[in-house]
Amino acid sequence: MEKNQVMRKLPKVAELLNQPEISLLCEKKGRNRVTDAIRESIDIVRQNLVKELKKSDYIETDAKDLMRQIMSYTMEKLSSSPYTLRPIINATGVVLHTNLGRAPLPQTALDRILKIAGSYSNLEYDIKKGGRGERYDHVRVLLCQITGAEDVLVVNNNAAAVLLCLSAIASGKEVIISRGQLVEIGGSFRVPDVMAQSGARLVEVGTTNKTYLRDYENAINEDTGMLLKVHTSNFKVIGFTSNVNNTELSSLGKKYKIPVMEDLGSGILVDLTPYGFPYEPTVSDSLKAGMDLVTFSGDKLLGGPQAGIIVGKRELISRIKSHPLTRAVRVDKMTLAALEAVLLFYKDGYWDEIPTIHMLTRSLQILEEQARLLHKGLTDIIGDKGQVKIIDDISETGGGSFPGHEMPTKAVTMEINEISAQKISERLREVPIPVIGRIKKDKFLLDVRTMTDEDIMKTIEMVGKLI
Ligand SMILES: *Cc1c(COP(=O)(O)O)cnc(C)c1O
């Protein structure tokens, strides 16, 4: 077709709207949305023609062909998801995967979010008095019961909790911390930087591997505003080490009337040693040992929504509440709705039903059953086009929790003839529900620890799209 003829052959929007398939789509998706998609598709085809005409004066096409192209773009536009934030399947075995959204919430928490976010609520309203109430009240009693704290404040995340506590309690004063705890967590949370931002002055004591009580005591003076302990999270000091325990540190604080705070990071609420985990002080252990303030995340080992939880002495919490930053890092009602639901699991003793804890404590026998289910589904699909095997492997907690602790797990390796592991991994990210696995020794691997039964079924379906 000659240059001047081509553009005239492009169909008009009205012509496309008369196509039977399009009429059907209009009923399903609405006429306006379909018309917009057609317009955008005509535009794409026009741009393509312009590009081609720059290269040559003659193009092999006709009106029918152009119509077909436009229809195909229109269908694609209307069927693709408009959302960029969407569910994926975590087959990495990393339970608290920060990039993949950390803790998945239990169903009851999701139901509570729907209920509270979809209507008005008593978020800051005291129903009994008929007047203003406090948003923090909804989780205060539960958190006090579970941790034994006098009072509680919940903010947007733990980074905000630490910054807020330092700003409210120690701004303009010195904060003493062991050199071995000046860590960076997850790339952007660096203890010295947070400290500087709060207006507190950092005083490092001890060495990277050893800090003694006398190191803290020698650094105390009239400018000291806080003794701070930070969980080293994703970092472990092993070998020739010495740390001051919480009881000693809190006694020192009491002796000099200086508040002692611990940033626990993950903030575990229950002891997981019966499940083979190394001992980690729970939030209530920390408070029992005499810590005046303890901060931790809502979406790490607790298994709840993103939040920063501050528990501790009433007088300190009340000073923190009245600091202007509190308003800037205020927690949202959806978070509170979910947090209340998750905390109820702990209060009632059903915490092993919270997805995060459930995934961490699954027995090898259950994992083996899951792996068999996945293995069978994948074998049925792949057949003689590759090889599927169940292997023993190791999964991680993630989120800076239990660093170095290895959890034996079951995984399924999937090899497909003539497709490299890298390529399988790539193609499984392009399917409607992306499946994120691991590559180990040139094999693509799916760790069932972080997969629900539903995830396993969906994964089989997604792999079906590659074959
Ligand atoms: C994870 C972590 C933080 C940051 O918590 P967020 O809830 O992600 O803001 C702070 N301190 C420690 C010790 C942590 O492990």
Side-chain angles (χ1 to χ4, degrees), residues 89-97 100 356 359-360 362 367 393-399 405-411 436-438 445-451:
I89 292 167
N90 176 9
T92 64
V94 181
V95 178
L96 292 168
H97 201 304
L100 306 185
T356 299
M359 287 188 264
L360 288 172
R362 297 173 103 180
L367 291 168
D393 206 54
I394 299 291
S395 32
E396 284 174 53
T397 309
H405 174 63
E406 300 188 332
M407 286 182 281
T409 190
K410 293 284 174 184
I436 316 296
R438 275 195 272 142
L445 172 158
L446 301 155
D447 185 335
V448 294
R449 179 180 294 280
T450 43
M451 301 171 84

PDB file of all heavy atoms in Angstrom, residues 89-97 100 356 359-360 362 367 393-399 405-411 436-438 445-451:
ATOM      1  N   ILE A  89       3.333 -15.511  44.402  1.00  0.00           N
ATOM      2  CA  ILE A  89       3.534 -16.713  45.216  1.00  0.00           C
ATOM      3  C   ILE A  89       4.982 -16.743  45.689  1.00  0.00           C
ATOM      4  O   ILE A  89       5.904 -16.664  44.883  1.00  0.00           O
ATOM      5  CB  ILE A  89       3.170 -17.978  44.408  1.00  0.00           C
ATOM      6  CG1 ILE A  89       1.649 -17.970  44.170  1.00  0.00           C
ATOM      7  CG2 ILE A  89       3.607 -19.248  45.149  1.00  0.00           C
ATOM      8  CD1 ILE A  89       1.178 -18.958  43.142  1.00  0.00           C
ATOM      9  N   ASN A  90       5.148 -16.801  47.009  1.00  0.00           N
ATOM     10  CA  ASN A  90       6.485 -16.832  47.593  1.00  0.00           C
ATOM     11  C   ASN A  90       6.929 -18.285  47.745  1.00  0.00           C
ATOM     12  O   ASN A  90       6.511 -18.972  48.660  1.00  0.00           O
ATOM     13  CB  ASN A  90       6.465 -16.127  48.950  1.00  0.00           C
ATOM     14  CG  ASN A  90       7.801 -16.201  49.673  1.00  0.00           C
ATOM     15  OD1 ASN A  90       8.793 -16.632  49.101  1.00  0.00           O
ATOM     16  ND2 ASN A  90       7.813 -15.779  50.924  1.00  0.00           N
ATOM     17  N   ALA A  91       7.770 -18.728  46.827  1.00  0.00           N
ATOM     18  CA  ALA A  91       8.292 -20.093  46.914  1.00  0.00           C
ATOM     19  C   ALA A  91       9.780 -20.050  47.240  1.00  0.00           C
ATOM     20  O   ALA A  91      10.530 -20.957  46.910  1.00  0.00           O
ATOM     21  CB  ALA A  91       8.039 -20.847  45.610  1.00  0.00           C
ATOM     22  N   THR A  92      10.208 -18.967  47.902  1.00  0.00           N
ATOM     23  CA  THR A  92      11.625 -18.826  48.261  1.00  0.00           C
ATOM     24  C   THR A  92      11.938 -19.523  49.573  1.00  0.00           C
ATOM     25  O   THR A  92      13.093 -19.768  49.874  1.00  0.00           O
ATOM     26  CB  THR A  92      12.016 -17.342  48.428  1.00  0.00           C
ATOM     27  OG1 THR A  92      11.277 -16.802  49.542  1.00  0.00           O
ATOM     28  CG2 THR A  92      11.715 -16.518  47.190  1.00  0.00           C
ATOM     29  N   GLY A  93      10.902 -19.776  50.379  1.00  0.00           N
ATOM     30  CA  GLY A  93      11.133 -20.361  51.699  1.00  0.00           C
ATOM     31  C   GLY A  93      11.540 -19.326  52.736  1.00  0.00           C
ATOM     32  O   GLY A  93      11.660 -19.642  53.914  1.00  0.00           O
ATOM     33  N   VAL A  94      11.770 -18.076  52.309  1.00  0.00           N
ATOM     34  CA  VAL A  94      12.090 -17.008  53.267  1.00  0.00           C
ATOM     35  C   VAL A  94      10.761 -16.494  53.822  1.00  0.00           C
ATOM     36  O   VAL A  94       9.969 -15.886  53.107  1.00  0.00           O
ATOM     37  CB  VAL A  94      12.871 -15.859  52.581  1.00  0.00           C
ATOM     38  CG1 VAL A  94      13.211 -14.773  53.594  1.00  0.00           C
ATOM     39  CG2 VAL A  94      14.131 -16.397  51.922  1.00  0.00           C
ATOM     40  N   VAL A  95      10.512 -16.768  55.092  1.00  0.00           N
ATOM     41  CA  VAL A  95       9.187 -16.519  55.663  1.00  0.00           C
ATOM     42  C   VAL A  95       8.888 -15.019  55.764  1.00  0.00           C
ATOM     43  O   VAL A  95       7.811 -14.570  55.373  1.00  0.00           O
ATOM     44  CB  VAL A  95       9.050 -17.204  57.047  1.00  0.00           C
ATOM     45  CG1 VAL A  95       7.700 -16.907  57.666  1.00  0.00           C
ATOM     46  CG2 VAL A  95       9.257 -18.713  56.906  1.00  0.00           C
ATOM     47  N   LEU A  96       9.852 -14.265  56.286  1.00  0.00           N
ATOM     48  CA  LEU A  96       9.623 -12.811  56.400  1.00  0.00           C
ATOM     49  C   LEU A  96      10.415 -12.102  55.312  1.00  0.00           C
ATOM     50  O   LEU A  96      11.450 -11.497  55.569  1.00  0.00           O
ATOM     51  CB  LEU A  96      10.046 -12.323  57.783  1.00  0.00           C
ATOM     52  CG  LEU A  96       9.173 -12.831  58.919  1.00  0.00           C
ATOM     53  CD1 LEU A  96       9.816 -12.541  60.265  1.00  0.00           C
ATOM     54  CD2 LEU A  96       7.785 -12.211  58.857  1.00  0.00           C
ATOM     55  N   HIS A  97       9.949 -12.197  54.086  1.00  0.00           N
ATOM     56  CA  HIS A  97      10.657 -11.634  52.940  1.00  0.00           C
ATOM     57  C   HIS A  97      10.226 -10.177  52.787  1.00  0.00           C
ATOM     58  O   HIS A  97       9.117  -9.893  52.361  1.00  0.00           O
ATOM     59  CB  HIS A  97      10.292 -12.448  51.696  1.00  0.00           C
ATOM     60  CG  HIS A  97      11.286 -12.327  50.590  1.00  0.00           C
ATOM     61  ND1 HIS A  97      11.649 -11.107  50.063  1.00  0.00           N
ATOM     62  CD2 HIS A  97      12.009 -13.259  49.916  1.00  0.00           C
ATOM     63  CE1 HIS A  97      12.536 -11.306  49.109  1.00  0.00           C
ATOM     64  NE2 HIS A  97      12.772 -12.601  49.009  1.00  0.00           N
ATOM     65  N   LEU A 100       8.906  -9.077  49.528  1.00  0.00           N
ATOM     66  CA  LEU A 100       7.623  -9.689  49.161  1.00  0.00           C
ATOM     67  C   LEU A 100       6.532  -9.364  50.184  1.00  0.00           C
ATOM     68  O   LEU A 100       5.540 -10.086  50.281  1.00  0.00           O
ATOM     69  CB  LEU A 100       7.780 -11.210  48.988  1.00  0.00           C
ATOM     70  CG  LEU A 100       8.870 -11.685  48.021  1.00  0.00           C
ATOM     71  CD1 LEU A 100       8.828 -13.201  47.854  1.00  0.00           C
ATOM     72  CD2 LEU A 100       8.734 -11.023  46.644  1.00  0.00           C
ATOM     73  N   THR A 356       2.576 -16.471  59.713  1.00  0.00           N
ATOM     74  CA  THR A 356       4.034 -16.406  59.888  1.00  0.00           C
ATOM     75  C   THR A 356       4.520 -17.487  60.859  1.00  0.00           C
ATOM     76  O   THR A 356       5.464 -18.225  60.563  1.00  0.00           O
ATOM     77  CB  THR A 356       4.441 -15.021  60.438  1.00  0.00           C
ATOM     78  OG1 THR A 356       4.035 -14.055  59.492  1.00  0.00           O
ATOM     79  CG2 THR A 356       5.935 -14.912  60.664  1.00  0.00           C
ATOM     80  N   MET A 359       4.081 -21.018  59.434  1.00  0.00           N
ATOM     81  CA  MET A 359       5.102 -21.393  58.445  1.00  0.00           C
ATOM     82  C   MET A 359       6.444 -21.706  59.102  1.00  0.00           C
ATOM     83  O   MET A 359       7.183 -22.560  58.633  1.00  0.00           O
ATOM     84  CB  MET A 359       5.276 -20.276  57.419  1.00  0.00           C
ATOM     85  CG  MET A 359       4.101 -20.179  56.454  1.00  0.00           C
ATOM     86  SD  MET A 359       4.454 -19.030  55.137  1.00  0.00           S
ATOM     87  CE  MET A 359       3.694 -17.567  55.741  1.00  0.00           C
ATOM     88  N   LEU A 360       6.733 -20.987  60.187  1.00  0.00           N
ATOM     89  CA  LEU A 360       8.014 -21.212  60.880  1.00  0.00           C
ATOM     90  C   LEU A 360       8.020 -22.529  61.634  1.00  0.00           C
ATOM     91  O   LEU A 360       9.067 -23.104  61.883  1.00  0.00           O
ATOM     92  CB  LEU A 360       8.290 -20.067  61.864  1.00  0.00           C
ATOM     93  CG  LEU A 360       8.662 -18.720  61.264  1.00  0.00           C
ATOM     94  CD1 LEU A 360       8.710 -17.658  62.358  1.00  0.00           C
ATOM     95  CD2 LEU A 360      10.012 -18.802  60.568  1.00  0.00           C
ATOM     96  N   ARG A 362       6.058 -25.398  60.953  1.00  0.00           N
ATOM     97  CA  ARG A 362       5.525 -26.573  60.258  1.00  0.00           C
ATOM     98  C   ARG A 362       6.490 -27.743  60.397  1.00  0.00           C
ATOM     99  O   ARG A 362       7.701 -27.571  60.283  1.00  0.00           O
ATOM    100  CB  ARG A 362       5.360 -26.270  58.763  1.00  0.00           C
ATOM    101  CG  ARG A 362       4.380 -25.188  58.488  1.00  0.00           C
ATOM    102  CD  ARG A 362       4.400 -24.825  57.033  1.00  0.00           C
ATOM    103  NE  ARG A 362       3.253 -25.411  56.372  1.00  0.00           N
ATOM    104  CZ  ARG A 362       2.987 -25.265  55.093  1.00  0.00           C
ATOM    105  NH1 ARG A 362       3.801 -24.593  54.323  1.00  0.00           N
ATOM    106  NH2 ARG A 362       1.913 -25.782  54.577  1.00  0.00           N
ATOM    107  N   LEU A 367       5.612 -30.692  55.618  1.00  0.00           N
ATOM    108  CA  LEU A 367       6.300 -30.100  54.465  1.00  0.00           C
ATOM    109  C   LEU A 367       6.483 -31.152  53.367  1.00  0.00           C
ATOM    110  O   LEU A 367       6.328 -30.859  52.182  1.00  0.00           O
ATOM    111  CB  LEU A 367       7.651 -29.520  54.885  1.00  0.00           C
ATOM    112  CG  LEU A 367       7.575 -28.273  55.785  1.00  0.00           C
ATOM    113  CD1 LEU A 367       8.940 -27.948  56.375  1.00  0.00           C
ATOM    114  CD2 LEU A 367       7.043 -27.071  55.010  1.00  0.00           C
ATOM    115  N   ASP A 393      16.202 -29.301  51.799  1.00  0.00           N
ATOM    116  CA  ASP A 393      16.881 -28.018  51.677  1.00  0.00           C
ATOM    117  C   ASP A 393      16.765 -27.249  52.989  1.00  0.00           C
ATOM    118  O   ASP A 393      16.249 -27.768  53.984  1.00  0.00           O
ATOM    119  CB  ASP A 393      16.301 -27.217  50.498  1.00  0.00           C
ATOM    120  CG  ASP A 393      17.309 -26.234  49.936  1.00  0.00           C
ATOM    121  OD1 ASP A 393      18.428 -26.654  49.594  1.00  0.00           O
ATOM    122  OD2 ASP A 393      16.976 -25.038  49.872  1.00  0.00           O
ATOM    123  N   ILE A 394      17.218 -25.997  52.958  1.00  0.00           N
ATOM    124  CA  ILE A 394      17.220 -25.169  54.164  1.00  0.00           C
ATOM    125  C   ILE A 394      16.431 -23.903  53.869  1.00  0.00           C
ATOM    126  O   ILE A 394      16.650 -23.273  52.843  1.00  0.00           O
ATOM    127  CB  ILE A 394      18.677 -24.750  54.496  1.00  0.00           C
ATOM    128  CG1 ILE A 394      19.555 -25.981  54.770  1.00  0.00           C
ATOM    129  CG2 ILE A 394      18.721 -23.776  55.664  1.00  0.00           C
ATOM    130  CD1 ILE A 394      19.241 -26.727  56.031  1.00  0.00           C
ATOM    131  N   SER A 395      15.478 -23.546  54.748  1.00  0.00           N
ATOM    132  CA  SER A 395      14.855 -22.231  54.557  1.00  0.00           C
ATOM    133  C   SER A 395      15.236 -21.285  55.687  1.00  0.00           C
ATOM    134  O   SER A 395      15.693 -21.699  56.745  1.00  0.00           O
ATOM    135  CB  SER A 395      13.337 -22.324  54.380  1.00  0.00           C
ATOM    136  OG  SER A 395      12.742 -23.364  55.083  1.00  0.00           O
ATOM    137  N   GLU A 396      15.024 -19.983  55.420  1.00  0.00           N
ATOM    138  CA  GLU A 396      15.432 -18.944  56.365  1.00  0.00           C
ATOM    139  C   GLU A 396      14.224 -18.204  56.901  1.00  0.00           C
ATOM    140  O   GLU A 396      13.200 -18.127  56.242  1.00  0.00           O
ATOM    141  CB  GLU A 396      16.232 -17.868  55.617  1.00  0.00           C
ATOM    142  CG  GLU A 396      17.627 -18.193  55.263  1.00  0.00           C
ATOM    143  CD  GLU A 396      18.170 -17.055  54.409  1.00  0.00           C
ATOM    144  OE1 GLU A 396      18.091 -15.890  54.830  1.00  0.00           O
ATOM    145  OE2 GLU A 396      18.634 -17.340  53.294  1.00  0.00           O
ATOM    146  N   THR A 397      14.400 -17.608  58.080  1.00  0.00           N
ATOM    147  CA  THR A 397      13.315 -16.807  58.650  1.00  0.00           C
ATOM    148  C   THR A 397      13.156 -15.490  57.889  1.00  0.00           C
ATOM    149  O   THR A 397      12.049 -15.092  57.562  1.00  0.00           O
ATOM    150  CB  THR A 397      13.589 -16.519  60.136  1.00  0.00           C
ATOM    151  OG1 THR A 397      13.889 -17.746  60.777  1.00  0.00           O
ATOM    152  CG2 THR A 397      12.399 -15.879  60.799  1.00  0.00           C
ATOM    153  N   GLY A 398      14.272 -14.812  57.631  1.00  0.00           N
ATOM    154  CA  GLY A 398      14.223 -13.522  56.945  1.00  0.00           C
ATOM    155  C   GLY A 398      13.882 -12.389  57.897  1.00  0.00           C
ATOM    156  O   GLY A 398      13.725 -12.611  59.107  1.00  0.00           O
ATOM    157  N   GLY A 399      13.760 -11.184  57.335  1.00  0.00           N
ATOM    158  CA  GLY A 399      13.402 -10.009  58.140  1.00  0.00           C
ATOM    159  C   GLY A 399      14.389  -9.729  59.265  1.00  0.00           C
ATOM    160  O   GLY A 399      14.058  -9.080  60.244  1.00  0.00           O
ATOM    161  N   HIS A 405      20.137 -19.097  61.575  1.00  0.00           N
ATOM    162  CA  HIS A 405      19.412 -20.293  61.989  1.00  0.00           C
ATOM    163  C   HIS A 405      18.867 -21.007  60.752  1.00  0.00           C
ATOM    164  O   HIS A 405      18.182 -20.417  59.929  1.00  0.00           O
ATOM    165  CB  HIS A 405      18.268 -19.923  62.929  1.00  0.00           C
ATOM    166  CG  HIS A 405      17.401 -21.094  63.278  1.00  0.00           C
ATOM    167  ND1 HIS A 405      17.890 -22.186  63.962  1.00  0.00           N
ATOM    168  CD2 HIS A 405      16.100 -21.371  63.022  1.00  0.00           C
ATOM    169  CE1 HIS A 405      16.920 -23.069  64.106  1.00  0.00           C
ATOM    170  NE2 HIS A 405      15.825 -22.601  63.551  1.00  0.00           N
ATOM    171  N   GLU A 406      19.204 -22.300  60.644  1.00  0.00           N
ATOM    172  CA  GLU A 406      18.804 -23.050  59.454  1.00  0.00           C
ATOM    173  C   GLU A 406      17.612 -23.936  59.758  1.00  0.00           C
ATOM    174  O   GLU A 406      17.634 -24.726  60.684  1.00  0.00           O
ATOM    175  CB  GLU A 406      19.980 -23.896  58.975  1.00  0.00           C
ATOM    176  CG  GLU A 406      21.200 -23.059  58.607  1.00  0.00           C
ATOM    177  CD  GLU A 406      22.297 -23.876  57.946  1.00  0.00           C
ATOM    178  OE1 GLU A 406      22.381 -25.085  58.222  1.00  0.00           O
ATOM    179  OE2 GLU A 406      23.046 -23.287  57.150  1.00  0.00           O
ATOM    180  N   MET A 407      16.553 -23.783  58.974  1.00  0.00           N
ATOM    181  CA  MET A 407      15.370 -24.626  59.145  1.00  0.00           C
ATOM    182  C   MET A 407      15.354 -25.672  58.041  1.00  0.00           C
ATOM    183  O   MET A 407      15.240 -25.321  56.854  1.00  0.00           O
ATOM    184  CB  MET A 407      14.095 -23.781  59.016  1.00  0.00           C
ATOM    185  CG  MET A 407      13.806 -22.903  60.212  1.00  0.00           C
ATOM    186  SD  MET A 407      12.262 -22.013  59.958  1.00  0.00           S
ATOM    187  CE  MET A 407      12.789 -20.707  58.870  1.00  0.00           C
ATOM    188  N   PRO A 408      15.433 -26.951  58.388  1.00  0.00           N
ATOM    189  CA  PRO A 408      15.344 -27.982  57.357  1.00  0.00           C
ATOM    190  C   PRO A 408      13.973 -27.892  56.687  1.00  0.00           C
ATOM    191  O   PRO A 408      12.965 -27.676  57.363  1.00  0.00           O
ATOM    192  CB  PRO A 408      15.458 -29.291  58.135  1.00  0.00           C
ATOM    193  CG  PRO A 408      15.915 -28.925  59.505  1.00  0.00           C
ATOM    194  CD  PRO A 408      15.533 -27.507  59.738  1.00  0.00           C
ATOM    195  N   THR A 409      13.954 -28.023  55.366  1.00  0.00           N
ATOM    196  CA  THR A 409      12.687 -27.905  54.643  1.00  0.00           C
ATOM    197  C   THR A 409      12.650 -28.900  53.483  1.00  0.00           C
ATOM    198  O   THR A 409      13.622 -29.609  53.243  1.00  0.00           O
ATOM    199  CB  THR A 409      12.494 -26.462  54.124  1.00  0.00           C
ATOM    200  OG1 THR A 409      11.159 -26.322  53.638  1.00  0.00           O
ATOM    201  CG2 THR A 409      13.469 -26.127  53.004  1.00  0.00           C
ATOM    202  N   LYS A 410      11.523 -28.948  52.796  1.00  0.00           N
ATOM    203  CA  LYS A 410      11.405 -29.769  51.589  1.00  0.00           C
ATOM    204  C   LYS A 410      11.151 -28.822  50.419  1.00  0.00           C
ATOM    205  O   LYS A 410      10.343 -27.887  50.534  1.00  0.00           O
ATOM    206  CB  LYS A 410      10.223 -30.734  51.717  1.00  0.00           C
ATOM    207  CG  LYS A 410      10.437 -31.787  52.788  1.00  0.00           C
ATOM    208  CD  LYS A 410      11.405 -32.867  52.325  1.00  0.00           C
ATOM    209  CE  LYS A 410      11.718 -33.828  53.481  1.00  0.00           C
ATOM    210  NZ  LYS A 410      12.717 -34.826  53.108  1.00  0.00           N
ATOM    211  N   ALA A 411      11.845 -29.096  49.327  1.00  0.00           N
ATOM    212  CA  ALA A 411      11.665 -28.259  48.143  1.00  0.00           C
ATOM    213  C   ALA A 411      11.489 -29.147  46.927  1.00  0.00           C
ATOM    214  O   ALA A 411      11.839 -30.321  46.954  1.00  0.00           O
ATOM    215  CB  ALA A 411      12.864 -27.335  47.979  1.00  0.00           C
ATOM    216  N   ILE A 436       7.751 -16.763  42.628  1.00  0.00           N
ATOM    217  CA  ILE A 436       9.152 -16.435  42.903  1.00  0.00           C
ATOM    218  C   ILE A 436       9.798 -17.606  43.633  1.00  0.00           C
ATOM    219  O   ILE A 436       9.402 -17.937  44.747  1.00  0.00           O
ATOM    220  CB  ILE A 436       9.278 -15.155  43.777  1.00  0.00           C
ATOM    221  CG1 ILE A 436       8.337 -14.045  43.295  1.00  0.00           C
ATOM    222  CG2 ILE A 436      10.728 -14.683  43.851  1.00  0.00           C
ATOM    223  CD1 ILE A 436       8.614 -13.505  41.921  1.00  0.00           C
ATOM    224  N   GLY A 437      10.754 -18.248  42.971  1.00  0.00           N
ATOM    225  CA  GLY A 437      11.441 -19.374  43.595  1.00  0.00           C
ATOM    226  C   GLY A 437      12.893 -19.052  43.860  1.00  0.00           C
ATOM    227  O   GLY A 437      13.252 -17.884  44.044  1.00  0.00           O
ATOM    228  N   ARG A 438      13.724 -20.077  43.899  1.00  0.00           N
ATOM    229  CA  ARG A 438      15.158 -19.882  44.128  1.00  0.00           C
ATOM    230  C   ARG A 438      15.911 -20.676  43.082  1.00  0.00           C
ATOM    231  O   ARG A 438      15.390 -21.650  42.536  1.00  0.00           O
ATOM    232  CB  ARG A 438      15.547 -20.472  45.482  1.00  0.00           C
ATOM    233  CG  ARG A 438      15.332 -19.525  46.626  1.00  0.00           C
ATOM    234  CD  ARG A 438      16.058 -20.018  47.865  1.00  0.00           C
ATOM    235  NE  ARG A 438      15.260 -20.916  48.658  1.00  0.00           N
ATOM    236  CZ  ARG A 438      15.751 -21.984  49.271  1.00  0.00           C
ATOM    237  NH1 ARG A 438      17.020 -22.294  49.139  1.00  0.00           N
ATOM    238  NH2 ARG A 438      14.957 -22.751  49.995  1.00  0.00           N
ATOM    239  N   LEU A 445      14.101 -24.011  41.983  1.00  0.00           N
ATOM    240  CA  LEU A 445      13.625 -24.733  43.154  1.00  0.00           C
ATOM    241  C   LEU A 445      12.461 -23.990  43.821  1.00  0.00           C
ATOM    242  O   LEU A 445      12.448 -22.769  43.899  1.00  0.00           O
ATOM    243  CB  LEU A 445      14.841 -24.822  44.050  1.00  0.00           C
ATOM    244  CG  LEU A 445      14.900 -25.320  45.454  1.00  0.00           C
ATOM    245  CD1 LEU A 445      16.334 -25.726  45.735  1.00  0.00           C
ATOM    246  CD2 LEU A 445      14.479 -24.262  46.423  1.00  0.00           C
ATOM    247  N   LEU A 446      11.452 -24.753  44.233  1.00  0.00           N
ATOM    248  CA  LEU A 446      10.300 -24.181  44.921  1.00  0.00           C
ATOM    249  C   LEU A 446      10.275 -24.734  46.347  1.00  0.00           C
ATOM    250  O   LEU A 446      10.135 -25.943  46.542  1.00  0.00           O
ATOM    251  CB  LEU A 446       9.007 -24.566  44.196  1.00  0.00           C
ATOM    252  CG  LEU A 446       8.907 -24.128  42.735  1.00  0.00           C
ATOM    253  CD1 LEU A 446       7.956 -25.037  41.960  1.00  0.00           C
ATOM    254  CD2 LEU A 446       8.444 -22.683  42.638  1.00  0.00           C
ATOM    255  N   ASP A 447      10.447 -23.856  47.343  1.00  0.00           N
ATOM    256  CA  ASP A 447      10.448 -24.276  48.748  1.00  0.00           C
ATOM    257  C   ASP A 447       9.010 -24.196  49.258  1.00  0.00           C
ATOM    258  O   ASP A 447       8.388 -23.128  49.245  1.00  0.00           O
ATOM    259  CB  ASP A 447      11.371 -23.339  49.536  1.00  0.00           C
ATOM    260  CG  ASP A 447      11.533 -23.758  50.993  1.00  0.00           C
ATOM    261  OD1 ASP A 447      10.637 -24.441  51.530  1.00  0.00           O
ATOM    262  OD2 ASP A 447      12.550 -23.380  51.598  1.00  0.00           O
ATOM    263  N   VAL A 448       8.470 -25.345  49.701  1.00  0.00           N
ATOM    264  CA  VAL A 448       7.039 -25.373  50.057  1.00  0.00           C
ATOM    265  C   VAL A 448       6.739 -24.746  51.420  1.00  0.00           C
ATOM    266  O   VAL A 448       5.577 -24.534  51.761  1.00  0.00           O
ATOM    267  CB  VAL A 448       6.450 -26.803  50.011  1.00  0.00           C
ATOM    268  CG1 VAL A 448       6.439 -27.336  48.599  1.00  0.00           C
ATOM    269  CG2 VAL A 448       7.194 -27.735  50.952  1.00  0.00           C
ATOM    270  N   ARG A 449       7.784 -24.429  52.208  1.00  0.00           N
ATOM    271  CA  ARG A 449       7.528 -23.870  53.541  1.00  0.00           C
ATOM    272  C   ARG A 449       6.626 -22.633  53.500  1.00  0.00           C
ATOM    273  O   ARG A 449       5.747 -22.461  54.338  1.00  0.00           O
ATOM    274  CB  ARG A 449       8.844 -23.510  54.240  1.00  0.00           C
ATOM    275  CG  ARG A 449       8.623 -22.895  55.627  1.00  0.00           C
ATOM    276  CD  ARG A 449       9.908 -22.551  56.308  1.00  0.00           C
ATOM    277  NE  ARG A 449      10.683 -23.731  56.627  1.00  0.00           N
ATOM    278  CZ  ARG A 449      10.467 -24.523  57.685  1.00  0.00           C
ATOM    279  NH1 ARG A 449       9.496 -24.237  58.527  1.00  0.00           N
ATOM    280  NH2 ARG A 449      11.223 -25.575  57.881  1.00  0.00           N
ATOM    281  N   THR A 450       6.869 -21.769  52.497  1.00  0.00           N
ATOM    282  CA  THR A 450       6.124 -20.513  52.439  1.00  0.00           C
ATOM    283  C   THR A 450       4.900 -20.589  51.520  1.00  0.00           C
ATOM    284  O   THR A 450       4.318 -19.568  51.171  1.00  0.00           O
ATOM    285  CB  THR A 450       7.053 -19.374  51.970  1.00  0.00           C
ATOM    286  OG1 THR A 450       7.845 -19.865  50.882  1.00  0.00           O
ATOM    287  CG2 THR A 450       7.960 -18.905  53.078  1.00  0.00           C
ATOM    288  N   MET A 451       4.519 -21.822  51.135  1.00  0.00           N
ATOM    289  CA  MET A 451       3.385 -21.964  50.207  1.00  0.00           C
ATOM    290  C   MET A 451       2.167 -22.582  50.898  1.00  0.00           C
ATOM    291  O   MET A 451       2.295 -23.579  51.597  1.00  0.00           O
ATOM    292  CB  MET A 451       3.800 -22.837  49.017  1.00  0.00           C
ATOM    293  CG  MET A 451       4.976 -22.273  48.238  1.00  0.00           C
ATOM    294  SD  MET A 451       5.600 -23.440  47.013  1.00  0.00           S
ATOM    295  CE  MET A 451       4.481 -23.102  45.655  1.00  0.00           C
TER     296      MET A 451
END
